[in-house]
């Protein structure tokens, strides 16, 4: 099992637009797939800097991340709208692997 943690710095004044974008995407994904569950999202504030943190657990790392990266690459469609809401070059992807340790 892997945990993906995406951290994006939100452009000043765009937090409300980012929230609306996420809600719209969740609604559209739920309409396409009734079993869709939105990822966990958090907002952190450091002075005037807002970050959105997105966490998801997956069995395997999606090929999209390996082939195209995530927020730093040109995107099509709705992803392009998302990129207009975050600070370029200020995104981070952490991939955490769950280790099963036997009790000895």
């Amino acid at each position: 099992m892997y945990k993906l943690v995406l951290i994006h710095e939100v452009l000043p004044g765009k937090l409300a637009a980012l929230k609306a974008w996420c809600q719209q995407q969740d609604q559209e994904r739920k309409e396409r797939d009734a079993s869709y569950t939105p990822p966990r999202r958090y907002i952190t504030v450091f002075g005037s800097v807002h970050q959105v943190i997105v966490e998801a657990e997956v069995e395997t790392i999606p090929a999209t991340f390996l082939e195209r990266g995530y927020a730093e690459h040109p995107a099509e469609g709705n992803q392009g709208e998302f990129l207009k809401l975050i600070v370029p070059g200020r995104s981070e992807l952490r991939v955490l692997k769950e280790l099963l340790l036997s009790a000895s």
Side-chain angles (χ1 to χ4, degrees):
M1 181 70 78
Y2 294 91
K3 181 180 224 178
L4 303 177
V5 181
L6 293 124
I7 303 169
H8 303 289
E9 186 174 322
V10 182
L11 283 168
K14 298 292 184 179
L15 190 57
L18 181 64
K19 179 181 176 183
W21 183 89
C22 289
Q23 290 173 331
Q24 179 67 30
Q25 294 307 303
D26 288 344
Q27 180 181 351
E28 290 176 11
R29 290 174 182 153
K30 187 74 171 175
E31 289 171 2
R32 288 192 301 269
D33 179 3
S35 66
Y36 171 77
T37 302
R40 287 180 296 278
R41 296 183 183 104
Y42 308 92
I43 297 169
T44 59
V45 179
F46 300 100
S48 63
V49 176
H50 293 81
Q51 291 180 324
V52 63
I53 301 168
V54 182
E55 294 183 357
E57 293 182 1
V58 294
E59 293 292 327
T60 60
I61 298 173
T64 305
F65 291 131
L66 301 176
E67 295 167 5
R68 299 183 53 194
Y70 57 111
E72 305 306 326
H73 289 264
E76 306 91 28
N78 292 334
Q79 191 69 10
E81 292 175 18
F82 173 78
L83 295 179
K84 294 175 186 173
L85 303 172
I86 61 173
V87 177
R90 299 299 302 247
S91 293
E92 180 180 342
L93 169 63
R94 297 178 187 171
V95 179
L96 308 174
K97 170 92 170 115
E98 181 179 338
L99 298 176
L100 300 176
L101 304 174
S102 61
S104 303

